């Protein structure tokens, strides 16, 4: 038989796949999209993905062999591989990096992966000899890496066996931060086996006639299990039974003791949502109906439609109707949101209508949970709708019919680090096309690019200008910060006007949201005497102060240190905190409104999935009066009783040196304002700003998106920015500043010869050194008419020319296509 080969994608920053020989015994089984274990480099092993299977021997002297095949069936479905290839090509990323980003770590065994024993595992069948050896090697209950296990057991290839053990639940991948995968168990209740007819049931009722509580519990059980109705029974959990009957555990135990009820334990998915009774779709109001009809008809003509609807116009209700239609056709839905923040509220809203057809996917899930979702989708076990953040575009969908990109203007859809630096909205549109699906982009403040595409006819456009129940958009009142400082009408960061409005809202038992921009306001430490500012030893940034831990840290590399008692420069005890973060706002609120309950919603308080959910729930239930937040509070959260929104300082939004600064400033202010007055009366926004007459401020006051769009388009045109030009940023890094400068200059020169004035730089990025790597940028502005593929080819050639020069061996070059 002729030899067969497989091209394998490795989870490494490599542009190509590598060819391995398929061992004789696997020649029939290795297929596209399956995982295989392969050696790479001198001693490493990795889990790769099969990209092609063929009979063409590679032109190298010795071809390595595949060590093991991990799957019986592919873990990828059509069109995932072409989608990866599109991302790698468009975003100038390595296919290996795309693989790393796309597949959860739990599906990739690597030499460094560590394995632990599951202590509560009970075997259903005896282990094979190999399994037993590995199991025993782990019985010290310490995590061991695959490498160590290979050494201890003396087996050459242990991965397939480790995988078998994992599948049986005997061992799991251990990670400090991620919960080890263990099936979750639930205690369920059933009636004794010998109770098979009504007569026997009657006997039991007679028996219990003196114990009212037990009888009550039994009746509730019979009702919950539908035993009485005989329309088919239903499983009842102990927890549910106790809750529904209001009984104590003692009453329950008594019935178990009497052998009337039996308990049994059942494995459940940790992703299972408690199934509540489903609610019908909301009836759309007349504006929504018109919008919905227009959306449906435009979707017949166009692949993408932009739904531009003011905040609280009920875009979500329209999505829900679209989802229902898609599900009727038996097709799947991907519902993208820019941040985990949004999944909490949306999960509840969607579950009410779609129940367990909904799956949620985001980075706060443990790796095991992500593997579970991946596998469920792959094996068609549930999930017709996936609600998730950008990485959900990589899930193995069977047949997408609809992709919704909510808050499509959000820059968090763009992945910056690590590569692939993809934009999930744009990638989702490509994915949708590959599935023959339609895409709906939704926003109250669309990205300039999207609105432009809609006006140009590339996308359909539906506009919703009325809020639900025709509540007016909030009134925006500006307060001049400069004047407030001059007249000393300000306490900390709160002008007298804002304090007055907060007082009023609190006395009416209404809630308040305060918005503090994150950017440029990280608190830091400065010496009063000599103006010394502690900086990161590895990066060119000042360290950020965290009051809660009394530590200073680097946001780029994580370097952390205690705050020194004395200034390291002048040795006097004069260090003080500068700048203001939400922590400081919270302190000021406590001083100004000692009786109000305030909480912060920012990256520090929401490290965990639960942390975020708790704050949202507490705010919904009025356990919190004032919510202080960064960008996170702007993103589509829906609270009914917020009457006042305070924007503490619009200045740092407006004066940021970025061509998108004004667009973003408008979007942020309009979005955070949109949290006010959603359910009842018109809300109020107090906007503190050093400049009350700035055009963007005027546009925010007037809720004038179109005005903002027109101004921005003129500027984009004049200064050669998107949507008129495409941008590609080349990121050049080296540990030696001189070598880096030299290489950057050479690349820029070469490119200028070929592309002329489209090439700008080399430039110094805002942070010129990160983790001891010096950084230079070269920016390309390419007119829309030029072929992006041709330009990318030119760039690749120039860069590989420089990189093949011995002097620049360890030069790193990365690309950011369509940088944000
Ligand atoms: P958007 O997504 O446009 O900001 P939402 O869909 O969140 O708006 O709607 C705002 C509020 O109005 C939500 O609380 C929602 O439940 C309610 N709402 C919107 N449309 C309807 C409708 N047709 N029937 C009942 N409630 C609605
Ligand atoms: Zn650092």
């Amino acid at each position: 038989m002729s030899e067969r080969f497989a091209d394998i994608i490795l989870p490494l920053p490599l542009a190509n796949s590598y060819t391995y020989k398929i061992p004789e015994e696997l020649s029939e089984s290795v297929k596209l999209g399956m995982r295989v274990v392969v050696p790479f480099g001198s001693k490493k092993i990795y889990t790769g993905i099969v990209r092609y299977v063929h009979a063409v021997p590679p032109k190298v002297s010795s071809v390595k062999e595949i060590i093991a095949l991990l799957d019986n069936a592919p873990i990828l479905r059509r069109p995932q591989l072409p989608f990866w290839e599109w991302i790698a090509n468009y975003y100038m990323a390595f296919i290996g990096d795309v693989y790393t980003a796309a597949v959860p770590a739990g599906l990739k065994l690597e030499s460094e992966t560590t394995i632990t024993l599951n202590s509560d595992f009970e075997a259903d069948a005896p282990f094979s000899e190999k399994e037993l050896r590995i199991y025993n090697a782990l019985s010290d209950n310490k995590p061991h890496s695959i490498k160590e296990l290979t050494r201890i057991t003396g087996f050459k290839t242990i991965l397939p066996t480790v995988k078998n053990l994992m599948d049986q639940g005997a061992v799991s991948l251990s990670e400090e931060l991620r919960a080890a995968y263990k099936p979750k168990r639930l205690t369920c209740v059933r009636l004794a086996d010998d109770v098979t007819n009504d007569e026997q049931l009657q006997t039991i009722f007679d028996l219990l006639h003196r114990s009212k509580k037990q009888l009550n519990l039994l009746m509730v059980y019979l009702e919950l299990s539908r035993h009485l109705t005989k329309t088919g029974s239903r499983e009842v959990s102990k927890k549910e039974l106790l809750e529904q009957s209001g009984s104590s555990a003692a009453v329950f135990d008594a019935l178990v003791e009497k052998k009337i009820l039996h308990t049994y334990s059942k494995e459940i998915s940790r992703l299972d949502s408690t199934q509540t009774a489903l609610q019908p779709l909301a009836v759309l109001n007349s504006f929504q109906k018109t919008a919905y009809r227009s959306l449906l008809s435009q979707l017949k003509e166009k692949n993408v439609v932009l739904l531009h609807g003011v905040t609280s116009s009920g875009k979500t209700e329209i999505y829900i109707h679209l989802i229902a239609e898609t599900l009727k056709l038996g097709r799947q839905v991907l519902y993208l949101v820019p941040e985990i923040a949004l999944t909490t509220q949306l999960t509840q809203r969607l579950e009410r209508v779609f129940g367990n057809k909904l799956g949620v996917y985001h980075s706060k899930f443990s790796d095991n949970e992500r593997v579970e979702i991946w596998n469920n989708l792959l094996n068609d076990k549930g999930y017709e709708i996936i609600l998730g953040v950008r990485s959900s575009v990589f899930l193995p969908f069977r047949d997408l019919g609809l992709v919704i990109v909510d808050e499509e203007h959000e820059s968090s859809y763009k992945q910056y680090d690590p590569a692939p630096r993809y934009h999930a909205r744009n990638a989702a549109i490509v994915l949708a096309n590959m599935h023959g699906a339609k895409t709906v982009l939704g926003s109250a403040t669309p990205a300039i690019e999207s609105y432009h595409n809609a006006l140009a006819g590339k996308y359909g456009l539906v506009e919703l200008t009325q809020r639900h129940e025709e509540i007016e958009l909030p009134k925006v009142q500006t307060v001049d910060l400069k004047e407030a400082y001059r007249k000393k009408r300000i306490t900390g960061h709160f002008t007298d006007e804002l304090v007055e409005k907060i007082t009023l809202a609190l006395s009416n038992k209404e809630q308040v949201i305060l918005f503090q921009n994150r950017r440029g306001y990280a608190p830091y430490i400065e010496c009063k005497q000599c103006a010394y500012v502690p900086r990161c030893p590895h990066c060119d940034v000042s360290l950020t102060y965290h009051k809660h831990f009394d530590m200073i840290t680097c946001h780029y590399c994580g370097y952390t240190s205690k705050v020194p008692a004395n200034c390291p420069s002048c040795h006097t005890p004069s260090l003080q905190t500068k700048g203001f973060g939400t922590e400081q706002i919270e302190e000021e609120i406590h001083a100004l409104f000692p009786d109000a309950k305030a909480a912060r919603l920012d990256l520090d308080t929401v490290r965990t999935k639960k942390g975020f959910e708790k704050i949202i729930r507490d705010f919904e239930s009025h356990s919190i009066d004032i919510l202080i937040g960064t960008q996170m509070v702007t993103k589509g959260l829906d609270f009914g009783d917020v009457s006042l929104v305070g924007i503490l300082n619009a200045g740092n939004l407006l004066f940021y040196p970025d061509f998108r600064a004004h667009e973003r400033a408008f979007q942020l202010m309009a979005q955070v304002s949109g949290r006010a007055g959603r359910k009842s009366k018109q809300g109020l926004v107090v906007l503190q700003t050093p400049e009350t007459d700035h055009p963007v401020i005027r546009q925010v006051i007037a809720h004038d998106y179109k005005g903002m769009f027109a101004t921005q388009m003129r500027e984009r045109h004049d200064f050669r920015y998107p949507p008129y030009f495409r941008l590609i940023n080349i990121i050049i890094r080296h540990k030696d500043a001189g070598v880096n400068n030299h290489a950057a200059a050479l690349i820029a020169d070469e490119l200028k010869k070929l592309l002329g004035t489209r090439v700008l730089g080399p430039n110094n990025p805002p942070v010129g050194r990160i983790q001891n790597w010096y950084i230079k940028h070269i920016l390309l502005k390419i007119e829309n008419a030029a072929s992006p593929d041709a330009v990318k080819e030119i760039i690749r050639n120039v860069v590989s020319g420089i990189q093949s020069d011995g002097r620049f061996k360890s030069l790193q070059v990365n690309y950011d296509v369509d940088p944000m």
Side-chain angles (χ1 to χ4, degrees):
M1 204 181 102
S2 70
E3 287 194 320
R4 295 179 63 76
F5 300 90
D7 291 355
I8 308 296
I9 304 171
L10 293 161
L12 298 168
L14 300 166
N16 296 311
S17 33
Y18 285 75
T19 307
Y20 289 83
K21 189 170 164 322
I22 302 178
E24 185 85 46
E25 70 273 17
L26 294 178
S27 69
E28 293 301 309
S29 355
V30 172
K31 303 222 163 65
L32 199 98
M34 287 184 178
R35 292 173 302 159
V36 290
V37 178
V38 292
F40 190 78
S42 56
K43 283 211 176 66
K44 297 253 180 187
I45 50 163
Y46 292 98
T47 304
I49 291 275
V50 180
R51 192 183 196 173
Y52 301 111
V53 176
H54 55 84
V56 189
K59 293 186 189 71
V60 289
S61 51
S62 72
V63 190
K64 289 184 180 161
E65 255 196 18
I66 289 173
I67 297 176
L69 176 66
L70 291 180
D71 299 306
N72 302 321
I75 65 148
L76 300 182
R77 304 175 102 131
R78 211 205 60 82
Q80 280 178 288
L81 269 175
F83 180 60
W84 291 9
E85 280 159 5
W86 179 83
I87 293 214
N89 181 53
Y90 183 86
Y91 291 103
M92 303 181 79
F94 298 126
I95 189 84
D97 282 336
V98 181
Y99 165 40
T100 305
V103 176
L107 288 171
K108 290 176 288 206
L109 303 173
E110 291 173 20
S111 341
E112 309 298 333
T113 308
T114 56
I115 311 285
T116 39
L117 216 60
N118 284 340
S119 47
D120 55 357
F121 168 74
E122 281 170 38
D124 294 333
F127 282 147
S128 72
E129 197 192 316
K130 225 171 160 178
E131 287 170 344
L132 193 63
R133 286 268 287 277
I134 294 172
Y135 193 81
N136 287 341
L138 286 164
S139 53
D140 57 1
N141 277 319
K142 291 199 197 98
H144 287 284
S145 73
I146 304 246
K147 237 194 232 161
E148 284 167 0
L149 286 176
T150 313
R151 193 174 41 77
I152 299 171
T153 58
F155 295 136
K156 251 211 243 123
T157 58
I158 66 163
L159 277 183
T161 322
V162 168
K163 193 199 162 244
N164 283 343
L165 286 168
M166 267 170 65
D167 291 346
Q168 296 172 51
V171 304
S172 22
L173 301 185
S174 54
E175 299 145 280
E176 275 177 19
L177 292 173
R178 306 176 206 153
Y181 184 75
K182 283 184 209 150
K184 223 173 161 174
R185 305 198 78 86
L186 185 72
T187 305
C188 291
V189 186
R190 63 179 166 78
L191 207 57
D193 290 336
D194 51 11
V195 188
T196 50
N197 58 36
D198 287 356
E199 239 164 79
Q200 286 155 332
L201 209 53
Q202 192 56 54
T203 325
I204 294 174
F205 290 156
D206 293 344
L207 188 77
L208 293 180
H209 80 279
R210 278 173 203 283
S211 359
K212 281 256 149 47
K213 284 181 178 168
Q214 292 175 27
L215 189 60
N216 170 51
L217 181 70
L218 181 64
M219 293 306 288
V220 174
Y221 167 76
L222 293 171
E223 208 167 285
L224 284 175
S225 65
R226 303 213 185 101
H227 208 95
L228 292 181
T229 60
K230 302 217 164 81
T231 55
S233 60
R234 175 183 162 264
E235 270 185 322
V236 176
S237 76
K238 178 177 168 185
K239 181 161 171 275
E240 180 188 9
L241 180 55
L242 291 183
E243 271 170 16
Q244 291 292 324
S245 62
S247 303
S248 68
V251 177
F252 179 82
D253 290 345
L255 282 174
V256 175
E257 188 102 318
K258 288 181 182 158
K259 297 207 159 55
I260 295 169
L261 292 180
H262 283 270
T263 61
Y264 62 97
S265 140
K266 183 186 170 231
E267 188 177 309
I268 53 159
S269 162
R270 46 165 66 68
L271 305 167
D272 259 1
S273 48
T274 38
Q275 184 69 52
T276 44
L278 298 190
Q279 287 174 9
L281 304 191
V283 179
L284 297 180
N285 67 39
S286 64
F287 305 102
Q288 291 166 339
K289 267 189 196 134
T290 312
Y292 182 62
R293 271 197 295 264
S294 168
L295 200 53
L296 287 182
S297 86
Q298 294 193 49
L299 281 172
K300 291 203 181 96
E301 311 285 318
K302 310 252 157 122
N303 285 333
V304 184
V305 175
L306 173 65
L307 174 59
H308 174 210
V310 296
T311 52
S312 210
S313 54
K315 294 184 286 298
T316 316
E317 296 302 333
I318 294 184
Y319 302 149
I320 290 175
H321 279 73
L322 281 175
I323 295 171
E325 284 307 309
T326 311
L327 297 189
K328 274 190 211 153
L329 302 173
R331 305 187 74 186
Q332 293 172 305
V333 178
L334 169 61
Y335 190 141
L336 284 175
V337 287
E339 224 167 289
I340 304 167
L342 276 178
T343 57
T344 311
Q345 282 196 330
L346 274 175
T347 303
Q348 291 173 9
R349 271 175 88 172
L350 296 173
E351 256 174 8
R352 255 179 260 146
V353 184
F354 301 110
N356 58 10
K357 289 201 179 84
L358 178 75
V360 183
Y361 191 76
H362 60 62
S363 58
K364 286 271 155 62
F365 278 146
S366 70
D367 210 56
N368 285 311
E369 288 171 308
R370 282 195 262 178
V371 171
E372 202 168 321
I373 294 182
W374 184 290
N375 284 336
N376 285 352
L377 260 178
L378 189 65
N379 300 317
D380 294 331
K381 286 198 216 150
Y383 307 145
E384 296 308 307
I385 312 159
I386 290 287
L387 171 67
V389 295
R390 60 173 182 246
S391 56
S392 346
V393 296
F394 292 117
L395 287 170
F397 295 100
R398 178 191 76 245
D399 176 21
L400 276 179
L402 173 68
V403 175
I404 295 165
V405 186
D406 197 10
E407 310 294 343
E408 62 85 31
H409 63 280
E410 280 291 343
S411 55
S412 37
Y413 277 124
K414 179 76 196 282
Q415 159 122 340
Y416 181 65
D417 242 350
R421 297 177 174 79
Y422 65 102
H423 195 299
R425 174 194 63 214
N426 301 346
I429 292 174
V430 171
L431 179 72
N433 285 340
M434 289 182 170
H435 275 272
K438 300 289 178 176
T439 306
V440 173
L441 310 178
S443 174
T445 53
I448 299 280
E449 287 89 338
S450 302
Y451 203 68
H452 168 74
N453 279 333
L455 293 185
K458 191 170 164 197
Y459 301 165
L461 177 64
V462 176
E463 310 217 52
L464 245 180
T465 52
Q466 288 292 331
R467 282 186 148 187
H468 181 56
E469 306 208 311
E470 293 168 67
I471 291 164
E472 279 183 78
L473 284 167
K475 180 175 172 336
V476 183
Q477 174 189 335
T478 55
V479 181
D480 191 330
L481 273 176
K482 281 196 191 123
E483 198 177 285
Y485 278 112
R486 207 165 40 234
K487 297 192 176 153
K488 302 216 165 29
R489 290 169 50 90
I490 190 160
T491 316
H493 301 91
F494 291 84
T495 59
D496 293 356
E497 284 92 336
L498 182 53
V499 171
E500 184 194 315
K501 300 298 184 203
I502 296 175
T503 312
L504 186 66
L506 292 178
S507 70
N508 289 339
K509 303 254 173 295
E510 293 158 353
Q511 291 175 298
V512 177
I513 291 181
L514 296 175
F515 170 70
Q516 168 54 32
N517 183 36
R518 183 171 58 213
R519 209 177 230 170
Y521 263 115
Y524 60 100
I525 301 252
E526 192 183 73
C527 176
K528 266 189 291 205
Q529 294 296 329
C530 71
Y532 166 87
V533 175
R535 299 175 70 83
C536 175
H538 315 294
C539 313
D540 282 345
V541 284
S542 51
L543 295 168
T544 301
Y545 177 64
H546 286 266
K547 182 158 184 309
H548 186 66
F549 308 103
D550 199 28
M551 298 277 243
I552 39 182
T553 66
C554 171
H555 276 187
Y556 287 89
C557 74
Y559 169 86
T560 299
S561 141
K562 279 228 154 310
V563 178
N566 292 326
C567 169
S569 174
C570 69
H571 308 290
T572 60
S574 315
L575 293 175
Q576 60 173 8
T577 52
K578 278 283 200 168
F580 72 108
T582 45
E583 278 182 2
Q584 201 175 339
I585 301 295
E586 189 181 13
E587 255 173 45
E588 293 182 9
I589 281 287
H590 284 312
L592 285 165
F593 305 98
D595 297 331
K597 278 161 283 164
R600 282 190 292 132
L601 189 69
D602 57 27
L603 283 177
D604 284 338
T605 56
V606 298
R607 291 256 175 261
T608 63
K609 187 166 83 179
K610 291 269 178 293
F612 184 84
E613 284 170 7
K614 179 157 181 355
I615 294 175
I616 298 293
R617 252 184 283 116
D618 286 352
F619 197 56
E620 279 172 342
S621 67
H622 283 238
S623 313
I624 297 172
D625 305 309
I626 304 177
L627 188 64
I628 305 156
T630 55
Q631 266 68 349
M632 251 180 222
V633 296
T634 64
K635 291 173 189 166
L637 291 169
D638 182 25
F639 299 112
D641 300 312
V642 175
S643 66
L644 175 67
V645 164
I647 298 174
L648 292 169
N649 186 349
N652 52 64
L653 291 170
L654 294 171
F655 309 128
Y656 199 81
D658 181 306
F659 76 93
R660 285 197 175 89
H662 287 177
E663 176 191 356
R664 291 237 176 92
F666 179 89
Q667 284 163 341
L668 270 170
M669 288 190 266
Q671 290 284 349
V672 71
S673 303
R675 303 312 115 209
R678 285 175 78 84
K679 283 212 180 112
S680 44
K681 57 174 200 186
Q682 188 187 22
L684 175 69
V685 179
V686 174
L687 201 175
Q688 303 189 147
T689 169
E691 232 178 84
T692 49
D693 205 33
H694 193 285
V696 173
I697 300 288
R698 273 187 271 131
Q699 285 153 354
V700 171
I701 297 172
H703 304 290
D704 184 13
Y705 173 82
K706 287 177 185 163
M708 184 281 294
F709 176 78
T711 324
Q712 285 310 302
M713 285 297 278
R714 275 194 299 278
E715 290 192 7
R716 303 284 180 93
H717 179 265
D718 294 350
F719 297 99
R720 302 201 298 159
Y721 279 114
Y724 296 102
F725 286 76
R726 292 168 199 273
L727 305 183
I728 298 179
N729 196 21
I730 308 179
I731 305 154
I732 301 162
R733 296 185 299 173
H734 199 279
K735 292 218 165 164
D736 182 304
V739 176
N740 201 47
N741 291 346
H742 189 188
L746 286 179
I747 294 176
D749 281 350
E750 273 311 300
L751 285 174
K752 279 173 193 169
K753 275 183 213 154
L754 299 161
L755 296 167
T757 55
R758 297 181 185 91
V759 184
L760 299 154
N763 309 313
N764 292 318
V767 180
R769 183 181 52 129
I770 294 178
Q771 280 180 302
N772 293 324
W773 288 79
Y774 291 88
I775 309 166
K776 286 275 177 189
H777 287 176
I778 297 173
L779 183 67
L780 277 85
K781 290 184 177 178
I782 301 144
E783 65 276 21
N784 280 343
S787 150
D789 282 340
V791 172
K792 285 171 193 168
E793 198 49 40
I794 291 175
I795 300 172
R796 282 194 191 101
N797 285 338
V798 167
V799 169
S800 67
I802 301 281
Q803 277 179 321
S804 63
D805 181 331
R807 292 172 297 170
F808 304 121
K809 222 174 42 217
S810 40
L811 188 76
Q812 289 209 1
V813 180
N814 287 290
Y815 304 98
D816 192 0
V817 177
D818 305 336
M820 294 285 285

